[in-house]
Structures are given as structure tokens and as C-alpha cells.
């Protein structure tokens, strides 16, 4: 579903991505882990087209997308949930999701007020992410955990084939983390998921395979149990961040 080959992206002298190659299968759930500054968010920015790469290429379901605009990639089925919240704060939860439903009909459709038909679709998505009963709450009054649930609904409204999640549990309480982890776990198995996550319990719960980034390179790639046992991974990341049983 995703093929990344020799991807490079520099910022001045900083090589944020220094030749990243990875392949994610159709329906696979892949975690991308690594220390702060490893290049995880930059990888997502290049995958979505928000940042042009300085080298390498990206394919989505066999199609070369390296030079497509972000909205063109979204049209091909790529959706993203950001590391920081991106919602329309004064609008209700329902209106935020309805706008994303409306945007499926074309990039300019979303600039008109969403009609009732889109509210029904929005409410179904809100229920799916555990926000039933919060349809009329303005995004700005939602709790941090609820906002992340809402962002997930906005992403799902695009009917993606590939979902990119950048630290979906960041800043959440243990109860909120457990809740969003179960929500992600319960998503359609046909959906391909890439997840950047620092919480190893969440990674080991959700991922089929794990890629470890360090200084812009993939230093390990394997199943959850292979990664748990990888000495290099412990040296650069796991040993510092968490204790692994
Ligand atoms: N827009 C930018 N301008 C300049 N440097 C950047 C930019 N974005 C990222 N970098 C640099 O690229 C490197 C990789 O950053 P990136 O945000 O991809 O890391 P990350 O793995 O997502 O880290 P974190 O776990 O802290 O979110 C860092 O050295 C960062 O400072
Ligand atoms: Mg990041």
C-alpha cells in the first residue's frame, strides 16, 4: 500500500530523513518509533505532501505520488491525524465532521454550510469514535481526549485507505489512552494504519510490525517480538524510554 524508497529531507544541515526505505502492506498496522527528532513527523509530512522531499520517492497502492499535492493524495485515500490538534474550534463536533464528509464531494464544497444529510453521516462517525452525545459541543470545549477522538472521526470521514496517526495518545490520561487505543484497534482491518507513538504499550497493542527511526534512518524493522528483542533498538530508544518485560 505504501512504498517509500531512499527518502531524503534536509533542513539546512539537518538530515531529518537520510535515506528512508520502507514498505507497508495493504491492511497492515505499522508503528514508527524512535527518539525525539528521529524524523517521524517529517516522514509523515513527506508522505502527505506537506513537505517536498529532497530525494527519493513515495508510492501509494503502486502509483507514484512523490510530487502530488496534499489534496490529490487525500483524494487517493491518504488521511492524517496531526501531532497537534487541527479542528475548527468554534464549530460543533458534528459540524467539524460534516465538513470533512462534505469535502469528499470536492475541495470547494466544504466552504458552504453542511446540509442535514451530512449531519447524519457525521453523527454515525461520532458514535464510532465514542462521541455519541457530544455532537453539539463546540470543539473548543471538548477535553483533550475528546478532541483526539473528534480528529479521528474527521480523518475517517474522508473514507481513507491509509490512515497516518501522529502520536494519537500524546498528552492523554491513562484512561483516555486506553480508550483511544481500543478505538484504533477496533477500526476496519482493511484500513492500512501508520502510527507514530511513544507509548510502547500502545505500540505493542496496535502494531503488526514496527519500524525504528534514528537520525533519519530506519535502523530496525520487524514484528513486535523481533523489535522487543533487538539490541540496537534498546540502545537508541527502548532502553531509555521504557522498560520492556
Ligand atoms: N520545518 C522544519 N524546519 C527545520 N528543521 C526541522 C523542521 N521540521 C523538523 N526539523 C528537524 O528535523 C529533525 C526531525 O524532526 P521531526 O519533527 O521529524 O522528529 P520526530 O521524530 O517527529 O520527533 P518527536 O518525537 O519529537 O515528535 C529534527 O532535528 C527537527 O529539529
Ligand atoms: Mg514528531
Amino acid at each position: 500500500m505504501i512504498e517509500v524508497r531512499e527518502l531524503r529531507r534536509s533542513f539546512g544541515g539537518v538530515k531529518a530523513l537520510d535515506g528512508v526505505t520502507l514498505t507497508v502492506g495493504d491492511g497492515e498496522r505499522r508503528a514508527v518509533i524512535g527518539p525525539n527528532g528521529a524524523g517521524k513527523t517529517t516522514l509523515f509530512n513527506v508522505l502527505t505532501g506537506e513537505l517536498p522531499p529532497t530525494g527519493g520517492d513515495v508510492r501509494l497502492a503502486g502509483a507514484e505520488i512523490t510530487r502530488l499535492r496534499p489534496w490529490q493524495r487525500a483524494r487517493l485515500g491518504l488521511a492524517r491525524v496531526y501531532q497537534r490538534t487541527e479542528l475548527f474550534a468554534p464549530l460543533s463536533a458534528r459540524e467539524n465532521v460534516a465538513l470533512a464528509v462534505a469535502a469528499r464531494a470536492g475541495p470547494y464544497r466544504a466552504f458552504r454550510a453542511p446540509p442535514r444529510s451530512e449531519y447524519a453521516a457525521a453523527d454515525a462517525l461520532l458514535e464510532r469514535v465514542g462521541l455519541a452525545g457530544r455532537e453539539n459541543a463546540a470543539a473548543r470545549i471538548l477535553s483533550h481526549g475528546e478532541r483526539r477522538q473528534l480528529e479521528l472521526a474527521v480523518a475517517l470521514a474522508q473514507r481513507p485507505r491509509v490512515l497516518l496517526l501522529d502520536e494519537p495518545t500524546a498528552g492523554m490520561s491513562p484512561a483516555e489512552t486506553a480508550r483511544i487505543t481500543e478505538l484504533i484497534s477496533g477500526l476496519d482491518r482493511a484500513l492500512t494504519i501508520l502510527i507514530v507513538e511513544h507509548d510502547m504499550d500502545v505500540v505493542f497493542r496496535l502494531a503488526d510490525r514496527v519500524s525504528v527511526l534514528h537520525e533519519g534512518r530506519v535502523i530496525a524493522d520487524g514484528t513486535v517480538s523481533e523489535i522487543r528483542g533487538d539490541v540496537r533498538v534498546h540502545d537508541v530508544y527502548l532502553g531509555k524510554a521504557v522498560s520492556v518485560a
Side-chain angles (χ1 to χ4, degrees):
M1 185 56 62
I2 293 192
E3 284 177 275
V4 168
R5 207 173 48 90
E6 280 296 311
L7 210 54
R8 293 176 193 281
R9 172 69 210 201
S10 298
F11 296 103
V14 177
K15 291 178 177 173
L17 300 176
D18 191 15
V20 169
T21 296
L22 57 88
T23 304
V24 182
D26 191 1
E28 188 183 324
R29 294 177 174 186
R30 171 74 59 93
V32 177
I33 66 171
N36 294 119
K40 305 180 298 294
T41 297
T42 302
L43 174 63
F44 274 19
N45 287 335
V46 172
L47 287 178
T48 59
E50 283 154 88
L51 268 181
T54 36
D57 48 68
V58 181
R59 289 175 169 270
L60 178 69
E64 156 96 54
I65 62 164
T66 320
R67 267 157 281 280
L68 294 187
R69 309 289 304 151
W71 66 267
Q72 293 174 308
R73 300 180 198 219
R75 273 283 157 106
L76 292 174
L78 199 63
R80 170 180 199 174
V81 175
Y82 287 84
Q83 189 170 359
R84 296 218 190 106
T85 297
E86 305 262 338
L87 294 166
F88 296 105
L91 299 186
S92 70
R94 173 183 289 136
E95 287 164 331
N96 269 278
V97 180
L99 282 170
V101 171
R104 285 206 304 256
Y108 301 105
R109 172 65 191 82
F111 290 102
R112 297 197 294 274
R116 304 251 160 233
S117 61
E118 283 150 7
Y119 285 168
D123 287 357
L125 284 159
L126 288 170
E127 184 174 359
R128 192 152 141 215
V129 301
L131 287 176
R134 298 293 270 158
E135 294 86 354
N136 291 312
R140 71 181 144 70
I141 70 144
L142 295 178
S143 72
H144 176 71
E146 287 175 326
R147 281 202 294 270
R148 304 309 313 245
Q149 286 164 257
L150 179 54
E151 288 169 326
L152 185 58
V154 166
L156 292 174
Q158 299 164 46
R159 292 201 183 130
R161 303 167 77 186
V162 178
L163 183 62
L164 307 183
L165 299 164
D166 197 353
E167 301 196 28
T169 74
M172 284 191 169
S173 70
E176 288 172 331
T177 296
R179 188 178 173 79
I180 198 96
T181 304
E182 283 320 297
L183 284 171
I184 296 166
S185 174
L187 293 177
D188 186 351
R189 277 303 322 195
L191 185 63
T192 303
I193 300 177
L194 260 78
I195 178 169
V196 167
E197 183 53 61
H198 283 290
D199 183 328
M200 286 304 118
D201 290 334
V202 175
V203 167
F204 293 143
R205 168 88 179 84
L206 291 178
D208 301 316
R209 293 180 70 83
V210 181
S211 296
V212 185
L213 270 187
H214 180 53
E215 295 176 352
R217 296 174 158 276
V218 178
I219 60 153
D221 198 318
T223 63
V224 164
S225 56
E226 285 165 354
I227 293 303
R228 275 179 193 265
D230 191 301
V231 174
R232 288 165 306 164
V233 178
H234 278 264
D235 283 350
V236 307
Y237 189 55
L238 293 180
K240 291 177 196 163
V242 289
S243 57
V244 181

